[in-house]
């Protein structure tokens, strides 16, 4: 398994506050992804990165931004959290030419 | 556009019974297909994948899946369910030649009764 950690693992925050979630990998994988998981929706892609400083939007990117300043870290920021962003967030990584993705343990975010 | 449909959000089987979780895909080009498993409060773990070699794919924990192009299906099976198989299962598709953006189904939660 790829070494993927996410921090924090749990967070409760208030509406309107900024939140940053961190994903850290030790596998030197080129590709990194942020998903959100909600009941009845499966996993939906928020943003992804195909290299340092190279990112693109996914299916549900509104209200989220990302940054990747080095290979091992991919940050997801909610500039002003809303209750609709209460979810479980998963980071994943993938290597060039290998279509598998490896998932982190998830961050449960509650916006009150 | 690609899509994945998992038939049945909940499936319940008895221990020792056949497990069959259904997945149909839509893709304009030959796809790669995946099954992932998620145990409670954990991330997703790859069970098996189809990448155009053998159409019958064997995965971990005794699971297998068969790619049927004519039926656009990739159903997951296990001959004999075990209590430890209780989890949520996700089917996913990606177009060959594109990097990375898996499209997931909505998941099927498997319960195993003693």
């Amino acid at each position: 398994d790829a070494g993927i950690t996410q921090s924090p693992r749990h967070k409760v925050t208030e509406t309107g506050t900024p939140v940053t979630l961190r994903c850290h990998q030790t596998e030197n994988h080129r590709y990194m992804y942020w998903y959100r998981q909600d009941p009845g929706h499966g996993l939906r892609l928020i943003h992804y990165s195909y290299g340092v400083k190279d990112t693109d939007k996914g299916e549900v990117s509104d209200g989220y931004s990302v940054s990747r300043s080095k290979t091992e870290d991919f940050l997801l920021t909610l500039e002003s959290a809303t209750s609709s962003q209460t979810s479980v967030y998963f980071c994943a990584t993938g290597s060039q030419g290998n279509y598998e993705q490896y998932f982190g343990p998830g961050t449960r975010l509650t916006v009150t | 556009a690609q899509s994945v449909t998992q038939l049945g959000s909940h499936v319940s089987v008895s221990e020792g019974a056949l497990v069959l979780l259904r997945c149909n895909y839509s893709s304009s080009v030959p796809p790669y297909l995946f099954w992932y498993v998620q145990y409670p409060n954990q991330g997703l773990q790859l069970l098996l994948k189809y990448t155009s070699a053998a159409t019958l794919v064997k995965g971990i924990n005794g699971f297998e899946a068969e790619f049927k192009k004519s039926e656009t299906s990739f159903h997951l099976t296990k001959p004999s369910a075990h209590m430890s198989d209780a989890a949520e299962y996700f089917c996913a598709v990606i177009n060959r030649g594109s990097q990375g953006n898996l499209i997931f189904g909505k998941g099927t939660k498997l319960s195993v009764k003693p």
Side-chain angles (χ1 to χ4, degrees):
Chain A
D1 288 341
I4 304 172
T5 56
Q6 294 185 230
S7 59
R9 294 292 313 280
H10 301 271
K11 186 171 182 66
V12 179
T13 192
E14 294 185 349
T15 297
T17 60
V19 176
T20 295
L21 308 183
R22 180 178 183 245
C23 178
H24 179 78
Q25 58 134 335
T26 59
E27 298 297 314
N28 200 35
H29 284 166
R30 175 181 175 184
Y31 298 90
M32 297 186 76
Y33 311 86
W34 277 108
Y35 293 91
R36 60 178 289 173
Q37 183 179 27
D38 304 288
H41 290 276
L43 276 83
R44 293 179 291 175
L45 183 65
I46 304 171
H47 281 280
Y48 65 100
S49 169
Y50 44 96
V52 174
K53 298 188 179 176
D54 290 324
T55 65
D56 206 347
K57 296 179 179 180
E59 176 188 358
V60 290
S61 59
D62 286 350
Y64 302 95
S65 62
V66 291
S67 65
R68 192 169 178 202
S69 59
K70 45 187 179 177
T71 300
E72 56 266 36
D73 290 326
F74 193 33
L75 304 181
L76 177 71
T77 297
L78 291 66
E79 300 290 348
S80 177
T82 67
S83 58
S84 65
Q85 294 175 312
T86 292
S87 187
V88 180
Y89 291 86
F90 286 98
C91 174
T93 70
S95 56
Q96 179 74 34
N98 180 343
Y99 294 92
E100 295 179 31
Q101 291 187 16
Y102 306 91
F103 284 80
T107 294
R108 184 173 297 274
L109 176 67
T110 302
V111 183
T112 61
Chain B
Q2 297 167 283
S3 65
V4 171
T5 301
Q6 291 185 239
L7 300 176
S9 58
H10 289 88
V11 170
S12 182
V13 301
S14 298
E15 192 172 20
L18 171 72
V19 175
L20 171 61
L21 304 182
R22 300 178 186 273
C23 172
N24 289 89
Y25 69 91
S26 173
S27 179
S28 57
V29 298
Y32 290 151
L33 293 156
F34 304 81
W35 276 101
Y36 283 85
V37 61
Q38 184 181 32
Y39 299 104
N41 300 312
Q42 294 186 26
L44 278 70
Q45 177 184 359
L46 182 67
L47 263 182
L48 49 80
K49 63 181 179 181
Y50 166 75
T51 56
S52 79
T55 56
L56 183 62
V57 181
K58 295 188 184 299
I60 61 172
N61 302 336
F63 284 92
E64 63 181 34
E66 186 172 8
F67 172 69
K68 291 188 176 180
K69 183 179 178 181
S70 61
E71 298 177 8
T72 61
S73 69
F74 191 56
H75 301 331
L76 182 70
T77 61
K78 183 174 181 178
S80 176
H82 192 274
M83 297 295 291
S84 61
D85 295 325
E88 191 158 19
Y89 293 79
F90 293 91
C91 183
V93 64
I94 186 172
N95 281 343
R96 294 186 206 176
S98 74
Q99 177 60 48
N101 293 356
L102 287 174
I103 304 299
F104 284 88
K106 295 184 178 181
T108 298
K109 187 163 290 187
L110 176 67
S111 300
V112 182
K113 299 175 290 186

mmCIF file of all heavy atoms in Angstrom, chain A residues 77-111:
data_model
loop_
_atom_site.group_PDB
_atom_site.id
_atom_site.type_symbol
_atom_site.label_atom_id
_atom_site.label_comp_id
_atom_site.label_asym_id
_atom_site.label_seq_id
_atom_site.Cartn_x
_atom_site.Cartn_y
_atom_site.Cartn_z
ATOM 1 N N THR A 77 -8.273 23.268 0.314
ATOM 2 C CA THR A 77 -8.740 24.383 1.132
ATOM 3 C C THR A 77 -10.186 24.719 0.822
ATOM 4 O O THR A 77 -10.568 24.821 -0.347
ATOM 5 C CB THR A 77 -7.865 25.629 0.898
ATOM 6 O OG1 THR A 77 -6.523 25.339 1.309
ATOM 7 C CG2 THR A 77 -8.376 26.815 1.710
ATOM 8 N N LEU A 78 -10.943 24.858 1.898
ATOM 9 C CA LEU A 78 -12.294 25.385 1.816
ATOM 10 C C LEU A 78 -12.174 26.828 2.299
ATOM 11 O O LEU A 78 -11.903 27.078 3.477
ATOM 12 C CB LEU A 78 -13.256 24.604 2.716
ATOM 13 C CG LEU A 78 -13.597 23.171 2.343
ATOM 14 C CD1 LEU A 78 -12.409 22.227 2.426
ATOM 15 C CD2 LEU A 78 -14.741 22.667 3.211
ATOM 16 N N GLU A 79 -12.318 27.769 1.403
ATOM 17 C CA GLU A 79 -12.053 29.174 1.753
ATOM 18 C C GLU A 79 -13.051 29.684 2.788
ATOM 19 O O GLU A 79 -12.698 30.444 3.684
ATOM 20 C CB GLU A 79 -12.115 30.048 0.504
ATOM 21 C CG GLU A 79 -11.103 29.677 -0.579
ATOM 22 C CD GLU A 79 -9.660 29.994 -0.198
ATOM 23 O OE1 GLU A 79 -9.448 30.705 0.814
ATOM 24 O OE2 GLU A 79 -8.742 29.509 -0.883
ATOM 25 N N SER A 80 -14.287 29.262 2.662
ATOM 26 C CA SER A 80 -15.336 29.673 3.592
ATOM 27 C C SER A 80 -16.315 28.509 3.691
ATOM 28 O O SER A 80 -17.182 28.350 2.845
ATOM 29 C CB SER A 80 -16.035 30.932 3.071
ATOM 30 O OG SER A 80 -17.094 31.305 3.925
ATOM 31 N N ALA A 81 -16.120 27.698 4.713
ATOM 32 C CA ALA A 81 -16.850 26.440 4.795
ATOM 33 C C ALA A 81 -18.361 26.655 4.893
ATOM 34 O O ALA A 81 -18.841 27.580 5.551
ATOM 35 C CB ALA A 81 -16.360 25.639 5.993
ATOM 36 N N THR A 82 -19.092 25.770 4.228
ATOM 37 C CA THR A 82 -20.555 25.775 4.306
ATOM 38 C C THR A 82 -21.029 24.403 4.779
ATOM 39 O O THR A 82 -20.301 23.408 4.674
ATOM 40 C CB THR A 82 -21.186 26.078 2.942
ATOM 41 O OG1 THR A 82 -20.920 24.983 2.056
ATOM 42 C CG2 THR A 82 -20.625 27.350 2.327
ATOM 43 N N SER A 83 -22.261 24.345 5.249
ATOM 44 C CA SER A 83 -22.788 23.081 5.763
ATOM 45 C C SER A 83 -22.835 22.002 4.684
ATOM 46 O O SER A 83 -22.726 20.802 4.982
ATOM 47 C CB SER A 83 -24.179 23.279 6.360
ATOM 48 O OG SER A 83 -25.066 23.805 5.391
ATOM 49 N N SER A 84 -22.978 22.410 3.425
ATOM 50 C CA SER A 84 -23.019 21.436 2.319
ATOM 51 C C SER A 84 -21.661 20.768 2.093
ATOM 52 O O SER A 84 -21.573 19.789 1.342
ATOM 53 C CB SER A 84 -23.476 22.103 1.020
ATOM 54 O OG SER A 84 -22.527 23.079 0.601
ATOM 55 N N GLN A 85 -20.631 21.284 2.724
ATOM 56 C CA GLN A 85 -19.309 20.689 2.609
ATOM 57 C C GLN A 85 -19.010 19.712 3.748
ATOM 58 O O GLN A 85 -17.899 19.169 3.824
ATOM 59 C CB GLN A 85 -18.236 21.777 2.531
ATOM 60 C CG GLN A 85 -18.345 22.611 1.251
ATOM 61 C CD GLN A 85 -17.381 23.768 1.191
ATOM 62 O OE1 GLN A 85 -17.254 24.548 2.154
ATOM 63 N NE2 GLN A 85 -16.703 23.921 0.063
ATOM 64 N N THR A 86 -19.978 19.484 4.600
ATOM 65 C CA THR A 86 -19.864 18.394 5.566
ATOM 66 C C THR A 86 -19.789 17.091 4.793
ATOM 67 O O THR A 86 -20.671 16.781 3.992
ATOM 68 C CB THR A 86 -21.074 18.388 6.510
ATOM 69 O OG1 THR A 86 -21.024 19.548 7.334
ATOM 70 C CG2 THR A 86 -21.082 17.131 7.367
ATOM 71 N N SER A 87 -18.724 16.341 5.005
ATOM 72 C CA SER A 87 -18.493 15.160 4.192
ATOM 73 C C SER A 87 -17.275 14.415 4.730
ATOM 74 O O SER A 87 -16.616 14.855 5.674
ATOM 75 C CB SER A 87 -18.240 15.575 2.731
ATOM 76 O OG SER A 87 -18.163 14.459 1.881
ATOM 77 N N VAL A 88 -17.000 13.295 4.108
ATOM 78 C CA VAL A 88 -15.738 12.599 4.352
ATOM 79 C C VAL A 88 -14.868 12.826 3.115
ATOM 80 O O VAL A 88 -15.311 12.580 1.992
ATOM 81 C CB VAL A 88 -15.940 11.103 4.603
ATOM 82 C CG1 VAL A 88 -14.585 10.430 4.856
ATOM 83 C CG2 VAL A 88 -16.862 10.875 5.789
ATOM 84 N N TYR A 89 -13.659 13.288 3.350
ATOM 85 C CA TYR A 89 -12.753 13.641 2.261
ATOM 86 C C TYR A 89 -11.629 12.616 2.178
ATOM 87 O O TYR A 89 -10.977 12.304 3.175
ATOM 88 C CB TYR A 89 -12.182 15.038 2.492
ATOM 89 C CG TYR A 89 -13.224 16.113 2.341
ATOM 90 C CD1 TYR A 89 -14.043 16.480 3.412
ATOM 91 C CD2 TYR A 89 -13.431 16.736 1.118
ATOM 92 C CE1 TYR A 89 -15.028 17.440 3.274
ATOM 93 C CE2 TYR A 89 -14.411 17.707 0.972
ATOM 94 C CZ TYR A 89 -15.204 18.046 2.052
ATOM 95 O OH TYR A 89 -16.180 19.005 1.897
ATOM 96 N N PHE A 90 -11.429 12.121 0.974
ATOM 97 C CA PHE A 90 -10.374 11.146 0.743
ATOM 98 C C PHE A 90 -9.355 11.698 -0.237
ATOM 99 O O PHE A 90 -9.705 12.296 -1.262
ATOM 100 C CB PHE A 90 -10.933 9.843 0.167
ATOM 101 C CG PHE A 90 -11.672 9.024 1.174
ATOM 102 C CD1 PHE A 90 -13.052 9.067 1.248
ATOM 103 C CD2 PHE A 90 -10.978 8.204 2.057
ATOM 104 C CE1 PHE A 90 -13.742 8.314 2.186
ATOM 105 C CE2 PHE A 90 -11.651 7.441 2.992
ATOM 106 C CZ PHE A 90 -13.035 7.503 3.064
ATOM 107 N N CYS A 91 -8.113 11.459 0.093
ATOM 108 C CA CYS A 91 -7.015 11.723 -0.807
ATOM 109 C C CYS A 91 -6.604 10.408 -1.458
ATOM 110 O O CYS A 91 -6.714 9.336 -0.834
ATOM 111 C CB CYS A 91 -5.843 12.303 -0.013
ATOM 112 S SG CYS A 91 -4.333 12.550 -0.945
ATOM 113 N N ALA A 92 -6.164 10.471 -2.693
ATOM 114 C CA ALA A 92 -5.661 9.288 -3.377
ATOM 115 C C ALA A 92 -4.444 9.669 -4.204
ATOM 116 O O ALA A 92 -4.264 10.839 -4.565
ATOM 117 C CB ALA A 92 -6.733 8.666 -4.267
ATOM 118 N N THR A 93 -3.626 8.677 -4.502
ATOM 119 C CA THR A 93 -2.462 8.902 -5.350
ATOM 120 C C THR A 93 -2.423 7.859 -6.449
ATOM 121 O O THR A 93 -3.057 6.801 -6.354
ATOM 122 C CB THR A 93 -1.145 8.837 -4.561
ATOM 123 O OG1 THR A 93 -0.911 7.467 -4.166
ATOM 124 C CG2 THR A 93 -1.179 9.712 -3.326
ATOM 125 N N GLY A 94 -1.679 8.170 -7.505
ATOM 126 C CA GLY A 94 -1.499 7.227 -8.599
ATOM 127 C C GLY A 94 -0.187 7.522 -9.310
ATOM 128 O O GLY A 94 0.287 8.664 -9.301
ATOM 129 N N SER A 95 0.374 6.483 -9.902
ATOM 130 C CA SER A 95 1.653 6.671 -10.586
ATOM 131 C C SER A 95 1.452 6.675 -12.094
ATOM 132 O O SER A 95 0.440 6.202 -12.602
ATOM 133 C CB SER A 95 2.635 5.568 -10.182
ATOM 134 O OG SER A 95 2.096 4.299 -10.445
ATOM 135 N N GLN A 96 2.426 7.198 -12.804
ATOM 136 C CA GLN A 96 2.369 7.325 -14.254
ATOM 137 C C GLN A 96 2.176 5.961 -14.900
ATOM 138 O O GLN A 96 2.933 5.021 -14.625
ATOM 139 C CB GLN A 96 3.668 7.954 -14.769
ATOM 140 C CG GLN A 96 3.743 8.116 -16.266
ATOM 141 C CD GLN A 96 2.868 9.247 -16.772
ATOM 142 O OE1 GLN A 96 2.706 10.246 -16.087
ATOM 143 N NE2 GLN A 96 2.308 9.084 -17.952
ATOM 144 N N GLY A 97 1.183 5.837 -15.774
ATOM 145 C CA GLY A 97 0.980 4.603 -16.518
ATOM 146 C C GLY A 97 0.287 3.498 -15.757
ATOM 147 O O GLY A 97 -0.023 2.459 -16.329
ATOM 148 N N ASN A 98 0.036 3.709 -14.473
ATOM 149 C CA ASN A 98 -0.660 2.708 -13.662
ATOM 150 C C ASN A 98 -1.990 3.315 -13.257
ATOM 151 O O ASN A 98 -2.034 4.329 -12.587
ATOM 152 C CB ASN A 98 0.188 2.387 -12.438
ATOM 153 C CG ASN A 98 -0.468 1.356 -11.542
ATOM 154 O OD1 ASN A 98 -1.663 1.097 -11.638
ATOM 155 N ND2 ASN A 98 0.304 0.767 -10.656
ATOM 156 N N TYR A 99 -3.044 2.695 -13.659
ATOM 157 C CA TYR A 99 -4.352 3.299 -13.458
ATOM 158 C C TYR A 99 -4.923 3.070 -12.074
ATOM 159 O O TYR A 99 -5.996 3.562 -11.755
ATOM 160 C CB TYR A 99 -5.303 2.785 -14.525
ATOM 161 C CG TYR A 99 -4.912 3.251 -15.902
ATOM 162 C CD1 TYR A 99 -4.074 2.487 -16.707
ATOM 163 C CD2 TYR A 99 -5.352 4.468 -16.386
ATOM 164 C CE1 TYR A 99 -3.704 2.927 -17.965
ATOM 165 C CE2 TYR A 99 -4.988 4.924 -17.641
ATOM 166 C CZ TYR A 99 -4.164 4.144 -18.428
ATOM 167 O OH TYR A 99 -3.792 4.587 -19.670
ATOM 168 N N GLU A 100 -4.225 2.352 -11.254
ATOM 169 C CA GLU A 100 -4.695 2.155 -9.883
ATOM 170 C C GLU A 100 -4.575 3.448 -9.093
ATOM 171 O O GLU A 100 -3.678 4.258 -9.334
ATOM 172 C CB GLU A 100 -3.866 1.080 -9.179
ATOM 173 C CG GLU A 100 -4.005 -0.296 -9.750
ATOM 174 C CD GLU A 100 -3.138 -1.290 -9.010
ATOM 175 O OE1 GLU A 100 -2.909 -1.098 -7.799
ATOM 176 O OE2 GLU A 100 -2.692 -2.253 -9.644
ATOM 177 N N GLN A 101 -5.471 3.607 -8.149
ATOM 178 C CA GLN A 101 -5.352 4.695 -7.190
ATOM 179 C C GLN A 101 -5.295 4.109 -5.787
ATOM 180 O O GLN A 101 -5.943 3.096 -5.497
ATOM 181 C CB GLN A 101 -6.519 5.676 -7.324
ATOM 182 C CG GLN A 101 -6.470 6.460 -8.629
ATOM 183 C CD GLN A 101 -7.509 7.553 -8.700
ATOM 184 O OE1 GLN A 101 -8.101 7.952 -7.703
ATOM 185 N NE2 GLN A 101 -7.721 8.070 -9.903
ATOM 186 N N TYR A 102 -4.525 4.769 -4.956
ATOM 187 C CA TYR A 102 -4.312 4.323 -3.580
ATOM 188 C C TYR A 102 -4.872 5.399 -2.666
ATOM 189 O O TYR A 102 -4.562 6.580 -2.823
ATOM 190 C CB TYR A 102 -2.826 4.112 -3.317
ATOM 191 C CG TYR A 102 -2.181 3.171 -4.317
ATOM 192 C CD1 TYR A 102 -1.607 3.668 -5.484
ATOM 193 C CD2 TYR A 102 -2.184 1.800 -4.109
ATOM 194 C CE1 TYR A 102 -1.044 2.818 -6.418
ATOM 195 C CE2 TYR A 102 -1.610 0.946 -5.039
ATOM 196 C CZ TYR A 102 -1.052 1.459 -6.188
ATOM 197 O OH TYR A 102 -0.502 0.613 -7.112
ATOM 198 N N PHE A 103 -5.681 4.965 -1.713
ATOM 199 C CA PHE A 103 -6.452 5.914 -0.926
ATOM 200 C C PHE A 103 -5.902 6.081 0.483
ATOM 201 O O PHE A 103 -5.429 5.126 1.103
ATOM 202 C CB PHE A 103 -7.912 5.464 -0.847
ATOM 203 C CG PHE A 103 -8.663 5.723 -2.112
ATOM 204 C CD1 PHE A 103 -8.549 4.879 -3.195
ATOM 205 C CD2 PHE A 103 -9.478 6.838 -2.220
ATOM 206 C CE1 PHE A 103 -9.235 5.126 -4.374
ATOM 207 C CE2 PHE A 103 -10.169 7.104 -3.387
ATOM 208 C CZ PHE A 103 -10.048 6.251 -4.470
ATOM 209 N N GLY A 104 -6.012 7.295 0.973
ATOM 210 C CA GLY A 104 -5.726 7.564 2.364
ATOM 211 C C GLY A 104 -6.894 7.166 3.248
ATOM 212 O O GLY A 104 -7.933 6.723 2.754
ATOM 213 N N PRO A 105 -6.755 7.356 4.569
ATOM 214 C CA PRO A 105 -7.778 6.900 5.514
ATOM 215 C C PRO A 105 -8.980 7.822 5.618
ATOM 216 O O PRO A 105 -9.989 7.448 6.219
ATOM 217 C CB PRO A 105 -7.023 6.862 6.841
ATOM 218 C CG PRO A 105 -5.961 7.903 6.680
ATOM 219 C CD PRO A 105 -5.556 7.861 5.239
ATOM 220 N N GLY A 106 -8.903 9.020 5.056
ATOM 221 C CA GLY A 106 -10.041 9.918 5.071
ATOM 222 C C GLY A 106 -10.015 10.935 6.193
ATOM 223 O O GLY A 106 -9.376 10.726 7.234
ATOM 224 N N THR A 107 -10.698 12.050 5.947
ATOM 225 C CA THR A 107 -10.919 13.096 6.959
ATOM 226 C C THR A 107 -12.405 13.357 7.036
ATOM 227 O O THR A 107 -13.041 13.658 6.032
ATOM 228 C CB THR A 107 -10.196 14.400 6.571
ATOM 229 O OG1 THR A 107 -8.785 14.207 6.594
ATOM 230 C CG2 THR A 107 -10.577 15.522 7.533
ATOM 231 N N ARG A 108 -12.933 13.224 8.244
ATOM 232 C CA ARG A 108 -14.358 13.508 8.440
ATOM 233 C C ARG A 108 -14.491 14.961 8.861
ATOM 234 O O ARG A 108 -14.009 15.349 9.919
ATOM 235 C CB ARG A 108 -14.952 12.582 9.492
ATOM 236 C CG ARG A 108 -16.459 12.758 9.667
ATOM 237 C CD ARG A 108 -17.034 11.701 10.602
ATOM 238 N NE ARG A 108 -16.883 10.358 10.063
ATOM 239 C CZ ARG A 108 -17.734 9.794 9.239
ATOM 240 N NH1 ARG A 108 -18.807 10.456 8.835
ATOM 241 N NH2 ARG A 108 -17.533 8.551 8.814
ATOM 242 N N LEU A 109 -15.143 15.763 8.013
ATOM 243 C CA LEU A 109 -15.313 17.191 8.269
ATOM 244 C C LEU A 109 -16.776 17.494 8.529
ATOM 245 O O LEU A 109 -17.647 17.109 7.736
ATOM 246 C CB LEU A 109 -14.830 18.006 7.065
ATOM 247 C CG LEU A 109 -15.036 19.522 7.171
ATOM 248 C CD1 LEU A 109 -14.150 20.109 8.264
ATOM 249 C CD2 LEU A 109 -14.762 20.201 5.843
ATOM 250 N N THR A 110 -17.027 18.163 9.622
ATOM 251 C CA THR A 110 -18.380 18.603 9.953
ATOM 252 C C THR A 110 -18.387 20.120 10.027
ATOM 253 O O THR A 110 -17.594 20.712 10.761
ATOM 254 C CB THR A 110 -18.842 18.018 11.294
ATOM 255 O OG1 THR A 110 -18.774 16.585 11.222
ATOM 256 C CG2 THR A 110 -20.264 18.444 11.610
ATOM 257 N N VAL A 111 -19.280 20.727 9.265
ATOM 258 C CA VAL A 111 -19.417 22.177 9.269
ATOM 259 C C VAL A 111 -20.750 22.523 9.935
ATOM 260 O O VAL A 111 -21.819 22.127 9.453
ATOM 261 C CB VAL A 111 -19.370 22.757 7.847
ATOM 262 C CG1 VAL A 111 -19.446 24.291 7.906
ATOM 263 C CG2 VAL A 111 -18.125 22.304 7.115
#
